[in-house]
Amino acid sequence: MDSVGDSLDRALEQAFTRPIPRSAPARMRFLVKQLKGTRPVAELLGVSQRTVERYVTGQLKHPRRELAASLEREVRSRWQPQVRARAKQKAVTTDGLVFATRGRFGFTAAPGTTDDARVRDITQALPPRWAERLFEARDAGAAEDQLLRIAAEGLGEMYFRADNTRAQGLDVEFTDVEQIDISL
Protein backbone atom coordinates (compact mmCIF):
# COMPACT_ATOMS: atom_id res chain seq x y z
CA MET A 1 0.00 0.00 0.00
CA ASP A 2 1.20 3.47 -0.81
CA SER A 3 1.15 6.04 1.96
CA VAL A 4 -0.36 9.50 1.70
CA GLY A 5 2.81 11.11 3.07
CA ASP A 6 5.06 9.41 0.50
CA SER A 7 2.65 10.31 -2.26
CA LEU A 8 2.69 13.98 -1.16
CA ASP A 9 6.50 13.92 -1.31
CA ARG A 10 6.43 12.39 -4.80
CA ALA A 11 3.99 15.09 -5.91
CA LEU A 12 6.35 17.83 -4.75
CA GLU A 13 9.26 16.09 -6.49
CA GLN A 14 7.42 16.47 -9.81
CA ALA A 15 8.23 20.18 -9.60
CA PHE A 16 12.02 19.66 -9.50
CA THR A 17 13.87 21.59 -12.18
CA ARG A 18 17.07 19.53 -12.07
CA PRO A 19 17.57 15.80 -11.59
CA ILE A 20 18.79 14.47 -8.27
CA PRO A 21 22.48 13.42 -8.32
CA ARG A 22 22.76 9.80 -9.42
CA SER A 23 26.18 8.58 -8.30
CA ALA A 24 27.02 7.89 -4.69
CA PRO A 25 30.02 10.28 -4.70
CA ALA A 26 27.88 13.12 -6.11
CA ARG A 27 25.16 12.45 -3.52
CA MET A 28 27.74 12.37 -0.75
CA ARG A 29 29.26 15.67 -1.93
CA PHE A 30 25.78 17.22 -1.94
CA LEU A 31 25.13 16.09 1.65
CA VAL A 32 28.55 17.32 2.80
CA LYS A 33 27.81 20.72 1.30
CA GLN A 34 24.31 20.83 2.85
CA LEU A 35 25.39 19.71 6.33
CA LYS A 36 28.68 21.64 6.20
CA GLY A 37 31.08 18.82 6.92
CA THR A 38 31.80 15.13 6.73
CA ARG A 39 31.20 14.42 10.42
CA PRO A 40 27.47 15.38 10.40
CA VAL A 41 26.97 13.31 7.23
CA ALA A 42 28.70 10.32 8.82
CA GLU A 43 26.47 10.61 11.89
CA LEU A 44 23.37 10.99 9.73
CA LEU A 45 24.15 7.92 7.62
CA GLY A 46 25.63 5.79 10.39
CA VAL A 47 29.06 5.34 8.79
CA SER A 48 32.55 6.52 9.69
CA GLN A 49 33.80 9.95 8.76
CA ARG A 50 36.58 8.32 6.74
CA THR A 51 34.01 6.42 4.66
CA VAL A 52 32.27 9.69 3.80
CA GLU A 53 35.63 11.21 2.82
CA ARG A 54 36.35 8.23 0.54
CA TYR A 55 33.03 8.71 -1.26
CA VAL A 56 33.65 12.46 -1.61
CA THR A 57 37.08 11.90 -3.20
CA GLY A 58 35.77 9.12 -5.45
CA GLN A 59 37.77 6.27 -3.88
CA LEU A 60 34.50 4.48 -3.09
CA LYS A 61 31.70 4.46 -5.64
CA HIS A 62 29.30 1.61 -4.89
CA PRO A 63 27.69 1.69 -1.44
CA ARG A 64 26.09 -1.32 0.19
CA ARG A 65 22.33 -1.57 -0.19
CA GLU A 66 21.38 -0.04 3.19
CA LEU A 67 23.74 2.90 2.75
CA ALA A 68 22.55 3.50 -0.82
CA ALA A 69 18.92 3.58 0.34
CA SER A 70 19.57 6.00 3.21
CA LEU A 71 21.80 8.14 0.98
CA GLU A 72 19.06 8.43 -1.63
CA ARG A 73 16.40 9.15 1.00
CA GLU A 74 18.44 11.92 2.65
CA VAL A 75 19.44 13.57 -0.65
CA ARG A 76 15.87 13.37 -1.97
CA SER A 77 14.48 15.00 1.19
CA ARG A 78 16.94 17.92 0.95
CA TRP A 79 16.96 18.46 -2.84
CA GLN A 80 15.73 21.84 -4.12
CA PRO A 81 13.91 23.04 -1.00
CA GLN A 82 12.86 26.34 -2.58
CA VAL A 83 11.32 24.63 -5.60
CA ARG A 84 9.53 22.24 -3.25
CA ALA A 85 8.26 25.16 -1.14
CA ARG A 86 6.96 27.03 -4.21
CA ALA A 87 5.12 23.96 -5.46
CA LYS A 88 3.59 23.41 -2.03
CA GLN A 89 2.56 27.07 -1.77
CA LYS A 90 0.96 26.94 -5.20
CA ALA A 91 -0.98 23.80 -4.25
CA VAL A 92 -2.33 25.27 -1.00
CA THR A 93 -3.24 28.68 -2.45
CA THR A 94 -4.42 28.27 -6.04
CA ASP A 95 -4.18 24.84 -7.65
CA GLY A 96 -5.01 22.17 -5.09
CA LEU A 97 -4.21 18.49 -5.65
CA VAL A 98 -5.37 15.67 -7.87
CA PHE A 99 -5.96 12.62 -5.71
CA ALA A 100 -6.09 9.27 -7.51
CA THR A 101 -6.78 6.18 -5.44
CA ARG A 102 -8.05 2.65 -5.41
CA GLY A 103 -9.58 1.56 -2.13
CA ARG A 104 -12.65 0.33 -0.34
CA PHE A 105 -15.19 3.04 0.31
CA GLY A 106 -18.12 2.55 2.63
CA PHE A 107 -20.65 5.01 3.94
CA THR A 108 -22.51 5.90 7.06
CA ALA A 109 -25.90 7.10 5.92
CA ALA A 110 -29.48 7.29 7.09
CA PRO A 111 -30.99 4.10 8.54
CA GLY A 112 -32.59 1.84 5.99
CA THR A 113 -30.19 2.62 3.14
CA THR A 114 -27.81 0.08 1.67
CA ASP A 115 -24.40 1.60 1.31
CA ASP A 116 -22.17 -1.44 1.48
CA ALA A 117 -18.47 -0.80 1.04
CA ARG A 118 -16.93 -1.64 -2.31
CA VAL A 119 -13.64 -1.10 -4.11
CA ARG A 120 -13.58 2.02 -6.27
CA ASP A 121 -11.06 3.73 -8.52
CA ILE A 122 -11.38 7.46 -7.96
CA THR A 123 -9.49 10.38 -9.46
CA GLN A 124 -10.66 13.66 -7.99
CA ALA A 125 -9.32 17.20 -7.90
CA LEU A 126 -9.24 18.52 -4.34
CA PRO A 127 -9.32 22.29 -3.82
CA PRO A 128 -6.51 24.18 -2.06
CA ARG A 129 -8.12 23.96 1.40
CA TRP A 130 -7.74 20.16 1.34
CA ALA A 131 -4.16 20.41 0.07
CA GLU A 132 -3.41 22.77 2.94
CA ARG A 133 -4.94 20.41 5.51
CA LEU A 134 -2.96 17.46 4.16
CA PHE A 135 0.36 19.32 4.06
CA GLU A 136 -0.16 20.86 7.52
CA ALA A 137 -1.00 17.48 9.03
CA ARG A 138 1.98 15.80 7.38
CA ASP A 139 4.36 18.59 8.45
CA ALA A 140 3.02 18.34 12.01
CA GLY A 141 3.91 14.64 12.07
CA ALA A 142 0.45 13.17 11.68
CA ALA A 143 0.16 9.41 11.46
CA GLU A 144 -0.88 7.71 8.23
CA ASP A 145 -4.39 6.98 9.52
CA GLN A 146 -4.91 10.69 10.22
CA LEU A 147 -3.79 11.58 6.70
CA LEU A 148 -6.15 8.93 5.31
CA ARG A 149 -8.98 10.39 7.39
CA ILE A 150 -8.34 13.86 5.95
CA ALA A 151 -8.20 12.41 2.43
CA ALA A 152 -11.47 10.55 3.05
CA GLU A 153 -13.13 13.77 4.23
CA GLY A 154 -11.90 15.59 1.12
CA LEU A 155 -13.02 12.82 -1.23
CA GLY A 156 -16.33 12.58 0.60
CA GLU A 157 -17.00 16.28 0.18
CA MET A 158 -15.79 16.69 -3.40
CA TYR A 159 -16.61 13.32 -5.02
CA PHE A 160 -19.48 11.76 -3.11
CA ARG A 161 -21.28 14.92 -1.96
CA ALA A 162 -20.35 17.02 -5.05
CA ASP A 163 -18.88 19.92 -3.07
CA ASN A 164 -21.66 19.56 -0.50
CA THR A 165 -24.47 20.12 -3.01
CA ARG A 166 -26.03 16.67 -2.49
CA ALA A 167 -26.09 13.70 -0.09
CA GLN A 168 -25.93 15.83 3.04
CA GLY A 169 -24.87 13.90 6.12
CA LEU A 170 -23.06 11.18 4.17
CA ASP A 171 -19.87 10.15 6.01
CA VAL A 172 -17.24 8.33 3.96
CA GLU A 173 -15.06 5.52 5.30
CA PHE A 174 -11.83 4.90 3.38
CA THR A 175 -10.25 1.48 4.09
CA ASP A 176 -8.22 -1.26 2.37
CA VAL A 177 -6.25 1.27 0.33
CA GLU A 178 -4.48 -0.42 -2.56
CA GLN A 179 -3.04 2.61 -4.31
CA ILE A 180 -2.64 6.35 -3.78
CA ASP A 181 -1.19 8.80 -6.25
CA ILE A 182 -1.21 12.53 -5.64
CA SER A 183 -0.19 15.08 -8.24
CA LEU A 184 -0.02 18.84 -8.28
Side-chain angles (χ1 to χ4, degrees), residues 20-121:
I20 294 174
R22 291 182 187 219
S23 70
R27 288 178 177 182
M28 201 65 79
R29 284 191 294 275
F30 171 76
L31 284 178
V32 167
K33 185 176 179 182
Q34 289 290 309
L35 299 177
K36 298 179 179 22
T38 56
R39 179 169 289 158
V41 174
E43 292 171 359
L44 177 71
L45 298 175
V47 295
S48 70
Q49 185 175 354
R50 184 68 186 126
T51 300
V52 172
E53 292 167 356
R54 286 184 179 131
Y55 277 106
V56 168
T57 61
Q59 292 174 345
L60 292 177
K61 295 181 181 178
H62 304 289
R64 63 186 191 284
R65 188 169 298 171
E66 301 86 24
L67 179 58
S70 62
L71 188 59
E72 180 175 357
R73 183 181 61 250
E74 295 301 331
V75 169
R76 193 171 289 280
S77 69
R78 289 172 171 77
W79 188 251
Q80 293 191 328
Q82 292 174 340
V83 171
R84 189 184 305 259
R86 277 194 307 268
K88 181 178 169 182
Q89 185 63 30
K90 188 175 178 186
V92 301
T93 57
T94 59
D95 289 355
L97 301 172
V98 176
F99 199 93
T101 187
R102 178 177 175 83
R104 184 170 301 279
F105 286 88
F107 309 98
T108 305
T113 61
T114 58
D115 288 320
D116 292 334
R118 66 177 189 252
V119 175
R120 295 175 187 251
D121 288 316

Side-chain angles (χ1 to χ4, degrees), residues 124-154:
Q124 178 65 44
L126 296 179
R129 66 180 179 272
W130 291 105
E132 183 175 20
R133 284 190 60 193
L134 282 168
F135 280 120
E136 283 179 356
R138 197 236 7 218
D139 293 345
E144 182 64 21
D145 61 332
Q146 292 171 316
L147 293 173
L148 278 174
R149 199 172 314 117
I150 293 170
E153 289 174 21

Side-chain angles (χ1 to χ4, degrees), residues 152-167:
E153 289 174 21
L155 289 173
E157 179 182 317
M158 299 308 297
Y159 181 82
F160 293 103
R161 292 190 301 268
D163 201 12
N164 286 329
T165 59
R166 63 180 170 92

